[in-house]
Amino acid sequence: MKIGVCVKRVPDTETRPKIASDEKNFDLSDAKFVISPYDEFGIEEALKLKEANGGEVVLISLDSSGDVTVIRNGLAMGADRAIIVEGDGERDPYETAVILSNVLKEENFDIVFFGKQGVGHDYQQVPSILAEIMNLPLISVVVELKIDGDKVEAVREIEGGEEVVEAKLPVLISAQKGLNVPRYPSLRGIMAAKKKPIDKKSPEFTAEKLSWEVEKVELPPPRKAGKIVEGEVEEQVKEIISFLSDEVKII
Amino acid sequence: MRRFEGVDFVESDLLLTEEEKLMRDTARKFVEDKVKPIIEEYHRGHRFPIHLVKEMGTLGFLGSNLKGYDFLPGISNVGYGLIMQELERGDSALRSFASVQGALVMYPILTFGSEEQKSKWLPLLASGEKIGCFGLTEPDFGSNPAGMKTTAKKVGSHYILNGSKMWITNGSIADIAVVFAKLEDGNIGGFIVERGMEGFKQVEIKNKFSLRASDTGILYFEDCKVPLENKLPGTKGLKSALMCLTQARYGIGWGVLGPAMECFHIALEYSKERIQFAGKPIASHQLVQEKLVYMLSEITKAQLLSIQVGRLKDEGKAHFSHISLLKKNNVKIAREIAKLSREILGASGIVDDYPVIRHMLNLESVFTYEGTDEIHTLIIGHRITDIPAYY
Ligand SMILES: Cc1cc2nc3c(=O)[nH]c(=O)nc-3n(C[C@H](O)[C@H](O)[C@H](O)COP(=O)(O)OP(=O)(O)OC[C@H]3O[C@@H](n4cnc5c(N)ncnc54)[C@H](O)[C@@H]3O)c2cc1C
């Protein structure tokens, strides 16, 4: 089984965002980078499929940073090889999907995993656009997956419940938390990752540009100072009650 | 409180390889996920979290710098040190476990063992399926193990061991013990003694105020029958035991950077949040800053020393006195840093809401075991003056 996993290098979720001087981008010079956490569920599921059925797990990433550490981490978890499409800066979801579709078509995977979203920008668009471009079924927000021959059965998370979806390979899957518990790379895995191939490609953008542009990014306004009630307990209670009933009107 | 992300004032991360950083980050994640949430409970209960052993084995943390078999990761000594650092940030108990298993049990079997001993025990020890301990210290002989009273007498197809070993990490839980004993010719030899062998008893030491989450035991040998093939054929006198100690001390030198960095991190964050006098954080007082700067300075110097000794070790150029300096210096500053951190936390520092007092107490054992601070001073003194001053 030939399994692809699209992974994105993103700033660690604990990063405190700083806005770059052009006010359109983030200044990430101090940030620590990781694989987008949802993508890790994709990698884990891919590795489990490979362990059950044999085959190959290939990581694909569109990334212009030149830093391969994050991809190595995925190889250390157990993926066999990686393809990095080196871009020339941030791409919007449509451009990303077009560029990735060229790699996916070339590789001809039986199944391709994504995270349900890439943390940071959180567009949640790439898998859907790709499915459209490639004319393949996409099962999104998957929390359980069974594959038997070319039969696919997936459980999706939906508002207030779950939905069971069936499809046939080839298929695209976007992973949600709960699908599995991603493994840690073992030391032997880390040593082996050093020798695994990382193929670097330049982006091929083969479509009409449909994009939008980021006008401006802003941080949310700083929180206003809280209100401190003082005095005797009874007075404090009265003050809190009048605040809740008169000012915020919730009681 | 801001999340711990290491302490790296002079960008010594630049001295690490990509793999070494990944190894450290993996160990850190393991400790955050699996150790931090449970460790206070095990510390309070005076219990070793034995369920973590197999997972450490799967990740390759046991004997990770040893080479020669497929199942041994054979990573660099700096990578190994970084893993020890992260484990000990969880608790010195975990690092002690990994030190004993890797440096004091797997290393001697690999270095002094027969082919049968290696193929039988190394895979089981690397995976964590079997646990080992190392018996050198005796009730009457600590810093001076040459005086040991435990004897091994050859009788027919067995060696008969008599004596006892005290303060033995993993002593009561171990499946096998690497034990040093005096042979009839007065030389010291090493043996693999297996749990359940006739005349072998393992007893836990209770009521410790330090390393409470580690198992420490006493090993008793009363006409203990050990088959001839359980002697480690390559052991040649006390020197063989000391070679093991050099391996373990190297890991300890790195390990204590974990608690040192954590205690510094907590003291720094706490002092920025804690308000005393004129509405100002305690970090605004010069006396507090002086302590914080001392901690950071010592950590930074210790990190650079560790990396250099690690690189020397990879090249086969680390002398045991280099490793004495690493163990002595780093444990001393870690112990001092834990104490200063506890001071900065005031009363909050005496409860286990923060890991500081636990680290502080653990480091008392680490200061004493594997050669006390004084013994390492004497080893370095011997090296530079060429005059032994042990007695
Ligand atoms: C938690 C724990 C785990 C341990 N695990 C193990 C283990 O797994 N295996 C093992 O074999 N041992 C183990 N030990 C034993 C440890 O290695 C010894 O405690 C250590 O070597 C010191 O020996 P001692 O306690 O007998 O102290 P002593 O040797 O009696 O020393 C007492 C004091 O006298 C000082 N002193 C001694 N000689 C001199 C000198 N010539 N000059 C100046 N000062 C001197 C020492 O520095 C120390 O301060 C462990 C100990 C502890 C506490």
Side-chain angles (χ1 to χ4, degrees):
Chain A
M1 188 177 273
K2 192 163 171 186
I3 309 160
V5 190
C6 291
V7 297
K8 188 174 181 190
R9 176 182 177 274
V10 300
D12 186 291
T13 44
E14 295 256 332
T15 306
R16 291 181 189 177
K18 275 190 287 183
I19 305 233
S21 53
D22 67 359
E23 297 195 332
K24 292 182 181 183
N25 287 290
F26 290 95
D27 172 4
L28 296 171
S29 48
D30 293 337
K32 192 176 165 235
F33 285 85
V34 295
I35 297 181
S36 179
Y38 295 106
D39 298 347
E40 284 195 0
F41 302 122
I43 299 178
E44 177 63 32
E45 204 61 20
L47 294 173
K48 283 180 16 191
L49 268 184
K50 180 189 153 178
E51 280 156 10
N53 302 296
E56 185 187 28
V57 175
V58 185
L59 307 179
I60 305 109
S61 186
L62 173 63
D63 183 58
S64 53
S65 70
D67 165 27
V68 298
T69 329
V70 163
I71 296 301
R72 282 262 187 248
N73 200 345
L75 293 172
M77 284 172 77
D80 298 286
R81 63 185 169 95
I83 301 169
I84 297 182
V85 188
E86 294 181 302
D88 32 17
E90 191 71 33
R91 296 277 188 167
D92 71 31
Y94 178 67
E95 293 170 327
T96 305
V98 171
I99 292 167
L100 289 177
S101 72
N102 287 321
V103 180
L104 299 187
K105 279 178 201 159
E106 224 169 89
E107 291 280 339
N108 215 355
F109 292 109
D110 296 306
I111 184 165
V112 181
F113 289 94
F114 306 83
K116 78 171 169 90
Q117 69 202 73
V119 307
H121 284 296
D122 298 284
Y123 292 128
Q124 312 187 33
Q125 294 184 23
V126 172
S128 318
I129 302 173
L130 254 168
E132 193 60 34
I133 296 173
M134 298 187 67
N135 197 22
L136 284 175
L138 163 72
I139 313 179
S140 60
V141 204
V142 170
V143 291
E144 209 182 308
L145 183 69
K146 270 189 237 136
I147 294 186
D148 184 7
D150 67 348
K151 269 176 52 193
V152 180
E153 192 186 298
V155 180
R156 305 182 58 238
E157 203 175 81
I158 57 170
E159 195 62 47
E162 286 181 338
E163 182 178 60
V164 180
V165 179
E166 288 178 353
K168 276 204 157 103
L169 294 178
V171 68
L172 309 181
I173 302 281
S174 85
Q176 164 69 316
K177 187 176 172 151
L179 179 60
N180 52 45
V181 182
R183 66 194 66 188
Y184 304 107
S186 72
L187 296 185
R188 288 209 296 145
I190 293 171
M191 297 297 279
K194 236 190 333 196
K195 296 179 204 111
K196 290 180 178 171
I198 298 180
D199 189 10
K200 294 194 176 169
K201 288 188 178 247
S202 17
E204 267 182 83
F205 183 71
T206 49
E208 198 183 330
K209 212 165 153 60
L210 293 174
S211 333
W212 37 265
E213 261 175 52
V214 175
E215 282 282 315
K216 193 170 182 197
V217 288
E218 280 177 342
L219 294 178
R223 258 204 288 172
K224 288 196 210 116
K227 200 175 178 138
I228 296 175
V229 284
E230 276 168 300
E232 292 295 314
V233 175
E234 271 166 40
E235 285 169 38
Q236 288 185 25
V237 171
K238 271 189 209 148
E239 206 178 322
I240 291 171
I241 290 174
S242 81
F243 172 78
L244 292 177
S245 60
D246 304 344
E247 277 187 56
V248 292
K249 299 190 170 43
I250 56 170
I251 56 172
Chain B
M1 194 169 276
R2 205 169 48 88
R3 182 177 72 172
F4 176 83
E5 291 197 32
V7 177
D8 187 10
F9 193 61
V10 297
E11 298 197 34
S12 40
D13 263 16
L14 292 173
L15 301 171
L16 307 178
T17 66
E18 199 183 285
E19 288 80 36
E20 286 163 349
K21 283 185 268 188
L22 195 50
M23 290 167 190
R24 176 191 61 196
D25 294 349
T26 301
R28 187 169 293 168
K29 195 158 185 291
F30 168 77
V31 166
E32 291 290 347
D33 295 349
K34 302 285 167 79
V35 182
K36 288 263 167 196
I38 57 129
I39 193 64
E40 303 302 351
E41 184 193 329
Y42 281 83
H43 178 257
R44 288 181 196 171
H46 206 306
R47 282 193 296 149
F48 174 63
I50 200 164
H51 65 281
L52 295 173
V53 169
K54 286 211 181 102
E55 192 154 4
M56 287 197 278
T58 308
L59 290 173
F61 292 173
L62 306 176
S64 60
N65 60 345
L66 302 177
K67 292 191 170 81
Y69 289 91
D70 275 357
F71 55 86
L72 297 173
I75 67 173
S76 74
N77 279 292
V78 171
Y80 169 81
L82 289 164
I83 290 165
M84 293 301 185
Q85 164 189 302
E86 296 305 320
L87 290 180
E88 191 146 2
R89 193 183 141 247
D91 194 278
S92 300
L94 283 178
R95 203 271 308 132
S96 298
F97 177 87
S99 287
V100 169
Q101 184 90 346
L104 297 179
V105 182
M106 293 173 67
Y107 170 83
I109 293 176
L110 184 69
T111 312
F112 310 118
S114 65
E115 283 312 315
E116 295 74 50
Q117 290 167 343
K118 289 189 224 184
S119 54
K120 176 167 180 192
W121 293 112
L122 291 176
L124 297 171
L125 293 162
S127 65
E129 275 162 84
K130 295 284 179 195
I131 292 174
C133 70
F134 177 85
L136 181 66
T137 307
E138 300 186 355
D140 296 336
F141 292 91
S143 297
N144 176 26
M148 70 172 63
K149 289 202 274 201
T150 301
T151 55
K153 206 168 151 187
K154 202 165 161 180
V155 181
S157 60
H158 287 85
Y159 281 96
I160 304 297
L161 266 61
N162 275 292
S164 60
K165 297 287 174 183
M166 197 166 179
W167 309 113
I168 306 306
T169 303
N170 299 348
S172 88
I173 56 171
D175 300 292
I176 63 170
V178 169
V179 175
F180 286 86
K182 250 185 200 149
L183 306 168
E184 283 158 282
D185 63 4
N187 273 323
I188 287 170
F191 300 85
I192 300 175
V193 183
E194 300 173 33
R195 170 183 283 280
M197 278 183 168
E198 196 183 321
F200 179 38
K201 207 164 91 190
Q202 303 167 255
V203 176
E204 188 188 347
I205 297 176
K206 302 264 192 200
N207 306 330
K208 289 177 294 171
F209 277 66
S210 173
L211 276 186
R212 288 173 61 84
S214 168
D215 177 68
T216 314
I218 311 179
L219 312 178
Y220 293 101
F221 309 94
E222 281 175 45
D223 288 331
C224 172
K225 280 178 80 177
V226 180
L228 292 185
E229 64 267 22
N230 276 34
K231 178 161 191 279
L232 288 164
T235 47
K236 301 255 169 343
L238 189 64
K239 182 167 178 278
S240 303
L242 298 180
M243 282 169 69
C244 303
L245 296 183
T246 300
Q247 303 304 312
R249 289 164 178 174
Y250 171 76
I252 295 170
W254 270 97
V256 294
L257 290 176
M261 294 196 299
E262 172 141 290
C263 289
F264 166 71
H265 169 75
I266 291 171
L268 177 62
E269 294 300 310
Y270 185 88
S271 66
K272 290 193 286 192
E273 285 165 17
R274 175 74 181 167
I275 311 289
Q276 276 313 283
F277 291 106
K280 293 197 303 188
I282 57 171
S284 68
H285 304 302
Q286 290 182 0
L287 294 177
V288 174
Q289 285 196 7
E290 199 275 334
K291 288 180 184 171
L292 293 170
V293 172
Y294 168 83
M295 294 181 187
L296 178 64
S297 312
E298 292 305 328
I299 289 169
T300 304
K301 290 184 274 179
Q303 286 169 329
L304 294 171
L305 175 63
S306 305
I307 295 171
Q308 171 63 4
V309 174
R311 299 287 179 232
L312 282 180
K313 194 165 182 294
D314 277 341
E315 291 171 28
K317 291 186 192 158
H319 186 266
F320 61 77
S321 60
H322 295 144
I323 290 173
S324 281
L325 179 63
L326 179 72
K327 196 269 179 184
K328 174 184 155 70
N329 177 74
N330 292 11
V331 177
K332 191 168 198 151
I333 64 111
R335 185 189 191 213
E336 194 65 25
I337 287 166
K339 192 195 77 183
L340 289 172
S341 176
R342 215 240 23 93
E343 285 174 20
I344 289 176
L345 265 59
S348 305
I350 70 151
V351 284
D352 68 5
D353 297 357
Y354 295 93
V356 173
I357 196 159
R358 176 165 50 83
H359 285 315
M360 188 181 112
L361 294 172
N362 282 342
L363 289 166
E364 292 304 306
S365 288
V366 182
F367 188 75
T368 290
Y369 71 27
E370 289 283 345
T372 65
D373 185 75
E374 288 79 11
I375 294 303
H376 288 295
T377 304
L378 295 173
I379 292 172
I380 302 165
H382 184 182
R383 171 94 196 276
I384 60 175
T385 63
D386 231 352
I387 307 169
Y390 306 97
Y391 42 81

